[in-house]
Amino acid sequence: MWDEQGTQYLDAFAGLWCVNLGYGRKELIDAASQQMAQLPYYNLFFNTSTEPVINLAKTLASIAPAHINNAFFCGSGSEANDTVFRMVRRYWDLKQQPTKKIFIGRHNGYHGSTVAGASLGGMGYMHKQGDLPINGVVHINQPYWFGEGGDLTPEEFGLQRAQELESKILEIGADNVAAFVAEPIQGAGGIIIPPSTYWPEIQRIVKKYNILLVVDEVICGFGRTGNWFGCDTLDIKADLMPIAKGLSSGYLPIGGVLIADHVAETFKQENSGDLNHGFTYSGHPVCAAVALANVNIIRDENIIENVQQNTGPYLAAQLQRLSDHPLVGEVRSAGLLAAIELVKDKTSRSRFDSKGTAGSSCRDHALANGLILRATGDTMLLSPPLVITNTEIDQLISKISLALDNTYNDLTTPK
Ligand SMILES: *Cc1c(COP(=O)(O)O)cnc(C)c1O
């Protein structure tokens, strides 16, 4: 990318976790203009549909886990999570269990910025405004070992945080709980990869208490972690998967919810009645055409295999070399999703006194050095386009190294 002065940047954040195919893919531009010329708009409300939407749904069913073969489309990840909210409650009504209404989310989870999305999410700074979360949404703690694990091993801590779900269900009563909602790997919260014990225990609990599992794939989907979905990487069996971002590589706005067969069947039963839900731009044909072209390119160019076998491991190995840096407390990655924790003391994992100073300083130094990344508090976040090459990863690492050195100097030089 180049700014208005012609300065060049390596965008190691793929716009906002979404430009998976990188900028300037002519096939996506052509898909949009051809669909615009063919049929710029039609709706999906009255037993009508359009070709790109039908083909996109078919293609998503073919790449999603085997038990997921239905899709609902909308305009964004937030709308996808709002759709989940309504769909899950309607599902339990149809199952004759109308008391199952409460959603359990996680502190520091992110599920969007609409009323339901921000409520399901656990961002304190969002909840502070406008009396969120709304009724019927509660939260448990996150599996963030580096920040909150104390003296426990990651495995002990992962188990403990998963078991908070069981305690919360027992407190509310399983008959009142509709669903647990979580990202496979938290994105906006700081690329938090749960300990290996976490997801198996979560899945044991949701099964035991008959609770739907909503796995928000808005960031992890479409190759980010080295498989089509975060669920594939972490071996999670979801009932509903909100998607957006990488679905169209951000070229046009589109989101959706992928729906497991047993949920979809409930809505298709005779006399089940409609879910009275939908948007004017649900399955917008131009957005769907671009998403379809995007998914086809990811598949046909073996982009996910390359992330899994080549660039993902290469990035992990190069990041590991940064762990000797005095500022770096931990590096972690899954595919092309990576985090660097900045600390004052490596052994105790303690932070600098004014939280976020190291992070924003590092981000500013990186930017001045032609590298775009993001900081959440003192955690540096990387999510480069999936087409990044190993040579570009070398550039990325040397730019981060320099930013770390500069940040270290700032923090340790007396003013
Ligand atoms: C970005 C994001 C959303 C919200 O998507 P929007 O398109 O911004 O509405 C929801 N969930 C996750 C995990 C996200 O990262």
Short mmCIF file of all heavy atoms in Angstrom, two decimals, residues 81-105 116 119-120 133-139 168-169 172-181 209-212 214 240 275:
data_model
loop_
_atom_site.label_atom_id
_atom_site.label_comp_id
_atom_site.label_asym_id
_atom_site.label_seq_id
_atom_site.Cartn_x
_atom_site.Cartn_y
_atom_site.Cartn_z
N ASN A 81 -24.14 -12.28 13.77
CA ASN A 81 -24.35 -12.60 15.19
C ASN A 81 -25.74 -12.20 15.67
O ASN A 81 -26.32 -12.87 16.52
CB ASN A 81 -23.23 -11.99 16.04
CG ASN A 81 -21.96 -12.82 15.96
OD1 ASN A 81 -21.91 -13.93 16.49
ND2 ASN A 81 -20.94 -12.32 15.27
N ASP A 82 -26.29 -11.13 15.11
CA ASP A 82 -27.68 -10.79 15.43
C ASP A 82 -28.62 -11.87 14.91
O ASP A 82 -29.62 -12.22 15.55
CB ASP A 82 -28.07 -9.43 14.82
CG ASP A 82 -27.65 -8.27 15.71
OD1 ASP A 82 -26.47 -8.22 16.11
OD2 ASP A 82 -28.52 -7.44 16.04
N THR A 83 -28.29 -12.40 13.74
CA THR A 83 -29.07 -13.49 13.17
C THR A 83 -29.02 -14.72 14.08
O THR A 83 -30.04 -15.37 14.33
CB THR A 83 -28.54 -13.83 11.77
OG1 THR A 83 -28.70 -12.68 10.94
CG2 THR A 83 -29.27 -15.02 11.16
N VAL A 84 -27.83 -15.02 14.58
CA VAL A 84 -27.66 -16.14 15.51
C VAL A 84 -28.58 -15.97 16.72
O VAL A 84 -29.26 -16.90 17.14
CB VAL A 84 -26.17 -16.23 15.97
CG1 VAL A 84 -26.05 -17.01 17.28
CG2 VAL A 84 -25.32 -16.84 14.88
N PHE A 85 -28.61 -14.76 17.25
CA PHE A 85 -29.41 -14.48 18.43
C PHE A 85 -30.88 -14.86 18.18
O PHE A 85 -31.52 -15.53 18.99
CB PHE A 85 -29.29 -12.99 18.77
CG PHE A 85 -29.81 -12.61 20.12
CD1 PHE A 85 -28.97 -12.61 21.22
CD2 PHE A 85 -31.13 -12.25 20.29
CE1 PHE A 85 -29.45 -12.25 22.48
CE2 PHE A 85 -31.62 -11.89 21.54
CZ PHE A 85 -30.77 -11.89 22.64
N ARG A 86 -31.41 -14.45 17.05
CA ARG A 86 -32.82 -14.71 16.76
C ARG A 86 -33.04 -16.17 16.37
O ARG A 86 -34.04 -16.79 16.74
CB ARG A 86 -33.30 -13.79 15.65
CG ARG A 86 -33.13 -12.31 16.01
CD ARG A 86 -34.00 -11.43 15.13
NE ARG A 86 -35.40 -11.74 15.34
CZ ARG A 86 -36.33 -11.62 14.39
NH1 ARG A 86 -36.01 -11.19 13.19
NH2 ARG A 86 -37.57 -11.93 14.65
N MET A 87 -32.11 -16.72 15.61
CA MET A 87 -32.25 -18.09 15.11
C MET A 87 -32.21 -19.10 16.27
O MET A 87 -32.99 -20.04 16.31
CB MET A 87 -31.12 -18.36 14.12
CG MET A 87 -31.33 -19.56 13.23
SD MET A 87 -29.95 -19.72 12.05
CE MET A 87 -30.46 -18.59 10.76
N VAL A 88 -31.31 -18.88 17.20
CA VAL A 88 -31.16 -19.82 18.33
C VAL A 88 -32.42 -19.80 19.20
O VAL A 88 -32.92 -20.86 19.59
CB VAL A 88 -29.90 -19.46 19.16
CG1 VAL A 88 -29.92 -20.17 20.51
CG2 VAL A 88 -28.64 -19.81 18.39
N ARG A 89 -32.93 -18.63 19.48
CA ARG A 89 -34.13 -18.58 20.33
C ARG A 89 -35.33 -19.21 19.63
O ARG A 89 -36.13 -19.93 20.25
CB ARG A 89 -34.44 -17.13 20.73
CG ARG A 89 -33.46 -16.65 21.79
CD ARG A 89 -33.86 -15.32 22.38
NE ARG A 89 -33.09 -15.06 23.59
CZ ARG A 89 -33.20 -13.95 24.31
NH1 ARG A 89 -34.04 -13.00 23.94
NH2 ARG A 89 -32.47 -13.79 25.39
N ARG A 90 -35.44 -18.96 18.34
CA ARG A 90 -36.53 -19.57 17.57
C ARG A 90 -36.36 -21.10 17.53
O ARG A 90 -37.34 -21.85 17.62
CB ARG A 90 -36.55 -18.98 16.16
CG ARG A 90 -37.61 -19.54 15.25
CD ARG A 90 -39.02 -19.08 15.67
NE ARG A 90 -40.03 -19.69 14.82
CZ ARG A 90 -41.22 -20.12 15.25
NH1 ARG A 90 -41.56 -19.96 16.52
NH2 ARG A 90 -42.07 -20.67 14.43
N TYR A 91 -35.13 -21.55 17.40
CA TYR A 91 -34.84 -22.99 17.39
C TYR A 91 -35.38 -23.65 18.65
O TYR A 91 -36.06 -24.67 18.59
CB TYR A 91 -33.32 -23.20 17.26
CG TYR A 91 -32.85 -24.62 17.51
CD1 TYR A 91 -32.85 -25.56 16.48
CD2 TYR A 91 -32.38 -25.00 18.77
CE1 TYR A 91 -32.41 -26.86 16.71
CE2 TYR A 91 -31.95 -26.30 19.01
CZ TYR A 91 -31.95 -27.22 17.98
OH TYR A 91 -31.51 -28.50 18.21
N TRP A 92 -35.09 -23.08 19.81
CA TRP A 92 -35.55 -23.70 21.05
C TRP A 92 -37.06 -23.62 21.21
O TRP A 92 -37.68 -24.52 21.77
CB TRP A 92 -34.83 -23.10 22.26
CG TRP A 92 -33.39 -23.55 22.35
CD1 TRP A 92 -32.28 -22.76 22.29
CD2 TRP A 92 -32.91 -24.89 22.50
NE1 TRP A 92 -31.14 -23.52 22.39
CE2 TRP A 92 -31.50 -24.84 22.51
CE3 TRP A 92 -33.53 -26.14 22.60
CZ2 TRP A 92 -30.70 -25.98 22.64
CZ3 TRP A 92 -32.74 -27.27 22.72
CH2 TRP A 92 -31.34 -27.19 22.74
N ASP A 93 -37.68 -22.57 20.66
CA ASP A 93 -39.15 -22.52 20.63
C ASP A 93 -39.69 -23.70 19.85
O ASP A 93 -40.61 -24.40 20.29
CB ASP A 93 -39.64 -21.23 19.94
CG ASP A 93 -39.64 -20.05 20.89
OD1 ASP A 93 -39.50 -20.26 22.12
OD2 ASP A 93 -39.77 -18.91 20.41
N LEU A 94 -39.11 -23.92 18.67
CA LEU A 94 -39.57 -25.01 17.81
C LEU A 94 -39.31 -26.37 18.44
O LEU A 94 -40.02 -27.33 18.18
CB LEU A 94 -38.89 -24.94 16.43
CG LEU A 94 -39.27 -23.74 15.56
CD1 LEU A 94 -38.39 -23.68 14.32
CD2 LEU A 94 -40.75 -23.80 15.17
N LYS A 95 -38.30 -26.44 19.29
CA LYS A 95 -37.99 -27.69 20.00
C LYS A 95 -38.85 -27.86 21.25
O LYS A 95 -38.60 -28.76 22.06
CB LYS A 95 -36.51 -27.68 20.43
CG LYS A 95 -35.53 -27.88 19.29
CD LYS A 95 -35.50 -29.34 18.92
CE LYS A 95 -34.45 -29.62 17.86
NZ LYS A 95 -34.57 -30.98 17.33
N GLN A 96 -39.82 -26.96 21.41
CA GLN A 96 -40.71 -26.99 22.59
C GLN A 96 -39.92 -26.80 23.89
O GLN A 96 -40.27 -27.37 24.93
CB GLN A 96 -41.51 -28.31 22.67
CG GLN A 96 -42.18 -28.74 21.39
CD GLN A 96 -43.24 -27.75 20.92
OE1 GLN A 96 -43.90 -27.10 21.71
NE2 GLN A 96 -43.37 -27.61 19.60
N GLN A 97 -38.83 -26.05 23.82
CA GLN A 97 -38.08 -25.73 25.04
C GLN A 97 -37.89 -24.21 25.13
O GLN A 97 -36.76 -23.73 25.12
CB GLN A 97 -36.74 -26.45 25.05
CG GLN A 97 -36.89 -27.97 25.14
CD GLN A 97 -35.54 -28.66 25.26
OE1 GLN A 97 -34.90 -28.62 26.30
NE2 GLN A 97 -35.11 -29.29 24.19
N PRO A 98 -39.00 -23.49 25.17
CA PRO A 98 -38.94 -22.03 25.06
C PRO A 98 -38.23 -21.33 26.21
O PRO A 98 -37.91 -20.15 26.11
CB PRO A 98 -40.42 -21.61 25.00
CG PRO A 98 -41.16 -22.72 25.65
CD PRO A 98 -40.38 -23.98 25.34
N THR A 99 -37.97 -22.05 27.32
CA THR A 99 -37.25 -21.37 28.40
C THR A 99 -35.76 -21.24 28.10
O THR A 99 -35.05 -20.49 28.77
CB THR A 99 -37.40 -22.12 29.75
OG1 THR A 99 -36.86 -23.43 29.60
CG2 THR A 99 -38.86 -22.20 30.18
N LYS A 100 -35.27 -22.00 27.12
CA LYS A 100 -33.84 -21.94 26.80
C LYS A 100 -33.57 -20.65 26.01
O LYS A 100 -33.65 -20.63 24.79
CB LYS A 100 -33.39 -23.19 26.03
CG LYS A 100 -33.24 -24.42 26.94
CD LYS A 100 -32.87 -25.68 26.18
CE LYS A 100 -31.40 -25.92 26.01
NZ LYS A 100 -30.68 -26.21 27.27
N LYS A 101 -33.23 -19.58 26.72
CA LYS A 101 -33.13 -18.27 26.09
C LYS A 101 -31.80 -17.56 26.33
O LYS A 101 -31.44 -16.63 25.60
CB LYS A 101 -34.25 -17.35 26.63
CG LYS A 101 -35.60 -17.65 26.05
CD LYS A 101 -36.44 -16.38 25.95
CE LYS A 101 -37.58 -16.56 24.95
NZ LYS A 101 -38.49 -17.66 25.32
N ILE A 102 -31.08 -17.97 27.37
CA ILE A 102 -29.91 -17.17 27.77
C ILE A 102 -28.66 -17.58 26.98
O ILE A 102 -28.40 -18.77 26.77
CB ILE A 102 -29.66 -17.30 29.29
CG1 ILE A 102 -30.87 -16.72 30.04
CG2 ILE A 102 -28.37 -16.59 29.71
CD1 ILE A 102 -30.78 -16.85 31.54
N PHE A 103 -27.92 -16.59 26.53
CA PHE A 103 -26.65 -16.81 25.84
C PHE A 103 -25.49 -16.60 26.81
O PHE A 103 -25.50 -15.66 27.60
CB PHE A 103 -26.49 -15.82 24.68
CG PHE A 103 -27.44 -16.08 23.55
CD1 PHE A 103 -28.75 -15.63 23.61
CD2 PHE A 103 -27.03 -16.78 22.42
CE1 PHE A 103 -29.64 -15.88 22.57
CE2 PHE A 103 -27.90 -17.03 21.39
CZ PHE A 103 -29.21 -16.57 21.46
N ILE A 104 -24.50 -17.48 26.70
CA ILE A 104 -23.27 -17.29 27.48
C ILE A 104 -22.15 -16.95 26.51
O ILE A 104 -21.85 -17.72 25.59
CB ILE A 104 -22.93 -18.55 28.31
CG1 ILE A 104 -24.10 -18.90 29.24
CG2 ILE A 104 -21.65 -18.32 29.12
CD1 ILE A 104 -23.90 -20.18 30.06
N GLY A 105 -21.59 -15.77 26.69
CA GLY A 105 -20.43 -15.34 25.90
C GLY A 105 -19.20 -15.25 26.80
O GLY A 105 -19.21 -15.81 27.91
N ALA A 116 -27.06 -6.88 19.51
CA ALA A 116 -26.82 -8.27 19.92
C ALA A 116 -25.33 -8.61 19.84
O ALA A 116 -24.79 -9.27 20.72
CB ALA A 116 -27.64 -9.24 19.07
N SER A 119 -23.50 -7.19 22.70
CA SER A 119 -23.91 -7.85 23.95
C SER A 119 -23.29 -9.23 24.07
O SER A 119 -22.80 -9.61 25.14
CB SER A 119 -25.44 -7.97 23.99
OG SER A 119 -26.04 -6.69 24.10
N LEU A 120 -23.30 -9.99 22.99
CA LEU A 120 -22.69 -11.32 23.02
C LEU A 120 -21.18 -11.19 23.24
O LEU A 120 -20.57 -12.01 23.92
CB LEU A 120 -22.95 -12.06 21.70
CG LEU A 120 -24.42 -12.43 21.43
CD1 LEU A 120 -24.59 -12.94 19.99
CD2 LEU A 120 -24.92 -13.48 22.41
N PRO A 133 -24.54 -5.44 28.40
CA PRO A 133 -25.31 -6.23 27.44
C PRO A 133 -26.81 -6.17 27.71
O PRO A 133 -27.23 -5.86 28.82
CB PRO A 133 -24.80 -7.66 27.69
CG PRO A 133 -24.34 -7.65 29.12
CD PRO A 133 -23.80 -6.27 29.36
N ILE A 134 -27.60 -6.49 26.70
CA ILE A 134 -29.04 -6.58 26.88
C ILE A 134 -29.36 -7.79 27.75
O ILE A 134 -28.51 -8.66 27.95
CB ILE A 134 -29.78 -6.71 25.52
CG1 ILE A 134 -29.16 -7.85 24.68
CG2 ILE A 134 -29.76 -5.40 24.78
CD1 ILE A 134 -29.94 -8.18 23.42
N ASN A 135 -30.58 -7.85 28.24
CA ASN A 135 -31.02 -8.98 29.07
C ASN A 135 -30.84 -10.29 28.33
O ASN A 135 -31.04 -10.35 27.13
CB ASN A 135 -32.52 -8.84 29.40
CG ASN A 135 -32.69 -8.05 30.67
OD1 ASN A 135 -31.78 -7.97 31.48
ND2 ASN A 135 -33.87 -7.46 30.83
N GLY A 136 -30.48 -11.31 29.08
CA GLY A 136 -30.40 -12.63 28.46
C GLY A 136 -29.03 -12.98 27.92
O GLY A 136 -28.87 -13.97 27.22
N VAL A 137 -28.03 -12.13 28.22
CA VAL A 137 -26.66 -12.46 27.82
C VAL A 137 -25.75 -12.33 29.04
O VAL A 137 -25.74 -11.29 29.70
CB VAL A 137 -26.13 -11.52 26.70
CG1 VAL A 137 -24.75 -11.99 26.25
CG2 VAL A 137 -27.09 -11.48 25.51
N VAL A 138 -25.01 -13.39 29.35
CA VAL A 138 -24.05 -13.35 30.46
C VAL A 138 -22.69 -13.80 29.95
O VAL A 138 -22.59 -14.33 28.83
CB VAL A 138 -24.52 -14.24 31.64
CG1 VAL A 138 -25.83 -13.76 32.20
CG2 VAL A 138 -24.62 -15.70 31.19
N HIS A 139 -21.65 -13.58 30.74
CA HIS A 139 -20.28 -13.86 30.27
C HIS A 139 -19.46 -14.64 31.29
O HIS A 139 -19.64 -14.47 32.49
CB HIS A 139 -19.57 -12.54 29.93
CG HIS A 139 -20.25 -11.76 28.86
ND1 HIS A 139 -21.32 -10.93 29.11
CD2 HIS A 139 -20.06 -11.72 27.52
CE1 HIS A 139 -21.74 -10.40 27.97
NE2 HIS A 139 -20.99 -10.87 26.98
N LYS A 168 -21.45 -21.81 35.29
CA LYS A 168 -22.44 -20.80 34.88
C LYS A 168 -23.75 -21.46 34.48
O LYS A 168 -24.84 -21.00 34.84
CB LYS A 168 -21.86 -19.96 33.73
CG LYS A 168 -22.67 -18.75 33.35
CD LYS A 168 -22.91 -17.78 34.50
CE LYS A 168 -21.94 -16.63 34.52
NZ LYS A 168 -22.19 -15.70 35.65
N ILE A 169 -23.66 -22.57 33.77
CA ILE A 169 -24.88 -23.29 33.36
C ILE A 169 -25.64 -23.78 34.59
O ILE A 169 -26.87 -23.64 34.67
CB ILE A 169 -24.52 -24.48 32.43
CG1 ILE A 169 -24.00 -23.97 31.09
CG2 ILE A 169 -25.75 -25.38 32.21
CD1 ILE A 169 -23.37 -25.05 30.21
N ILE A 172 -27.42 -20.87 36.30
CA ILE A 172 -28.61 -20.36 35.59
C ILE A 172 -29.67 -21.44 35.45
O ILE A 172 -30.87 -21.15 35.37
CB ILE A 172 -28.20 -19.89 34.17
CG1 ILE A 172 -27.14 -18.79 34.23
CG2 ILE A 172 -29.40 -19.38 33.40
CD1 ILE A 172 -26.51 -18.51 32.89
N GLY A 173 -29.23 -22.68 35.40
CA GLY A 173 -30.14 -23.80 35.11
C GLY A 173 -30.06 -24.13 33.63
O GLY A 173 -30.34 -23.26 32.79
N ALA A 174 -29.70 -25.36 33.30
CA ALA A 174 -29.52 -25.74 31.90
C ALA A 174 -30.80 -25.51 31.08
O ALA A 174 -30.73 -25.22 29.88
CB ALA A 174 -29.10 -27.21 31.81
N ASP A 175 -31.95 -25.58 31.73
CA ASP A 175 -33.21 -25.37 31.01
C ASP A 175 -33.39 -23.93 30.55
O ASP A 175 -34.30 -23.63 29.79
CB ASP A 175 -34.40 -25.71 31.92
CG ASP A 175 -34.52 -27.20 32.15
OD1 ASP A 175 -33.81 -27.96 31.44
OD2 ASP A 175 -35.29 -27.60 33.04
N ASN A 176 -32.51 -23.04 31.04
CA ASN A 176 -32.62 -21.63 30.65
C ASN A 176 -31.52 -21.19 29.70
O ASN A 176 -31.49 -20.05 29.27
CB ASN A 176 -32.58 -20.74 31.89
CG ASN A 176 -33.72 -21.07 32.85
OD1 ASN A 176 -34.86 -21.26 32.40
ND2 ASN A 176 -33.43 -21.16 34.12
N VAL A 177 -30.58 -22.09 29.41
CA VAL A 177 -29.43 -21.68 28.58
C VAL A 177 -29.63 -22.12 27.14
O VAL A 177 -29.88 -23.30 26.85
CB VAL A 177 -28.11 -22.27 29.14
CG1 VAL A 177 -26.94 -21.80 28.29
CG2 VAL A 177 -27.91 -21.84 30.60
N ALA A 178 -29.50 -21.16 26.23
CA ALA A 178 -29.72 -21.43 24.80
C ALA A 178 -28.44 -21.84 24.09
O ALA A 178 -28.42 -22.80 23.33
CB ALA A 178 -30.31 -20.18 24.13
N ALA A 179 -27.36 -21.08 24.32
CA ALA A 179 -26.14 -21.31 23.53
C ALA A 179 -24.92 -20.71 24.21
O ALA A 179 -25.03 -19.77 25.01
CB ALA A 179 -26.29 -20.69 22.14
N PHE A 180 -23.78 -21.29 23.87
CA PHE A 180 -22.48 -20.70 24.22
C PHE A 180 -21.90 -20.14 22.93
O PHE A 180 -21.92 -20.80 21.90
CB PHE A 180 -21.56 -21.76 24.82
CG PHE A 180 -20.16 -21.27 25.13
CD1 PHE A 180 -19.95 -20.25 26.03
CD2 PHE A 180 -19.06 -21.84 24.49
CE1 PHE A 180 -18.65 -19.80 26.32
CE2 PHE A 180 -17.76 -21.40 24.77
CZ PHE A 180 -17.56 -20.37 25.68
N VAL A 181 -21.39 -18.90 23.00
CA VAL A 181 -20.88 -18.22 21.80
C VAL A 181 -19.42 -17.84 22.01
O VAL A 181 -19.08 -17.19 23.00
CB VAL A 181 -21.68 -16.92 21.54
CG1 VAL A 181 -21.23 -16.28 20.23
CG2 VAL A 181 -23.17 -17.21 21.50
N TYR A 209 -25.16 -30.64 28.62
CA TYR A 209 -26.31 -29.83 29.05
C TYR A 209 -27.22 -29.43 27.90
O TYR A 209 -28.10 -28.59 28.06
CB TYR A 209 -25.82 -28.61 29.83
CG TYR A 209 -25.10 -29.00 31.10
CD1 TYR A 209 -23.71 -29.03 31.16
CD2 TYR A 209 -25.82 -29.40 32.24
CE1 TYR A 209 -23.05 -29.41 32.31
CE2 TYR A 209 -25.16 -29.79 33.40
CZ TYR A 209 -23.78 -29.81 33.43
OH TYR A 209 -23.14 -30.19 34.57
N ASN A 210 -26.98 -29.99 26.71
CA ASN A 210 -27.85 -29.74 25.56
C ASN A 210 -27.95 -28.24 25.24
O ASN A 210 -29.02 -27.64 25.26
CB ASN A 210 -29.25 -30.34 25.84
CG ASN A 210 -30.09 -30.38 24.59
OD1 ASN A 210 -29.56 -30.37 23.47
ND2 ASN A 210 -31.40 -30.42 24.77
N ILE A 211 -26.79 -27.67 24.96
CA ILE A 211 -26.68 -26.23 24.66
C ILE A 211 -26.08 -26.08 23.28
O ILE A 211 -25.14 -26.82 22.94
CB ILE A 211 -25.75 -25.61 25.73
CG1 ILE A 211 -26.48 -25.78 27.00
CG2 ILE A 211 -25.39 -24.16 25.41
CD1 ILE A 211 -26.25 -25.24 28.14
N LEU A 212 -26.60 -25.18 22.48
CA LEU A 212 -26.01 -25.00 21.14
C LEU A 212 -24.64 -24.34 21.25
O LEU A 212 -24.40 -23.52 22.14
CB LEU A 212 -26.93 -24.16 20.25
CG LEU A 212 -28.24 -24.82 19.81
CD1 LEU A 212 -29.04 -23.86 18.92
CD2 LEU A 212 -28.00 -26.13 19.08
N VAL A 214 -22.12 -21.98 19.30
CA VAL A 214 -21.94 -21.02 18.21
C VAL A 214 -20.46 -20.64 18.14
O VAL A 214 -19.91 -20.12 19.11
CB VAL A 214 -22.78 -19.74 18.46
CG1 VAL A 214 -22.59 -18.75 17.31
CG2 VAL A 214 -24.25 -20.09 18.66
N LEU A 240 -23.60 -23.58 14.84
CA LEU A 240 -23.77 -22.39 13.99
C LEU A 240 -22.41 -21.70 13.86
O LEU A 240 -21.68 -21.61 14.85
CB LEU A 240 -24.77 -21.41 14.61
CG LEU A 240 -26.22 -21.91 14.72
CD1 LEU A 240 -26.98 -21.08 15.74
CD2 LEU A 240 -26.91 -21.85 13.37
N LEU A 275 -38.79 -18.30 10.18
CA LEU A 275 -38.06 -17.40 11.07
C LEU A 275 -38.26 -16.04 10.41
O LEU A 275 -37.80 -15.82 9.29
CB LEU A 275 -36.57 -17.78 11.12
CG LEU A 275 -35.67 -16.80 11.86
CD1 LEU A 275 -36.01 -16.74 13.35
CD2 LEU A 275 -34.21 -17.17 11.68
#
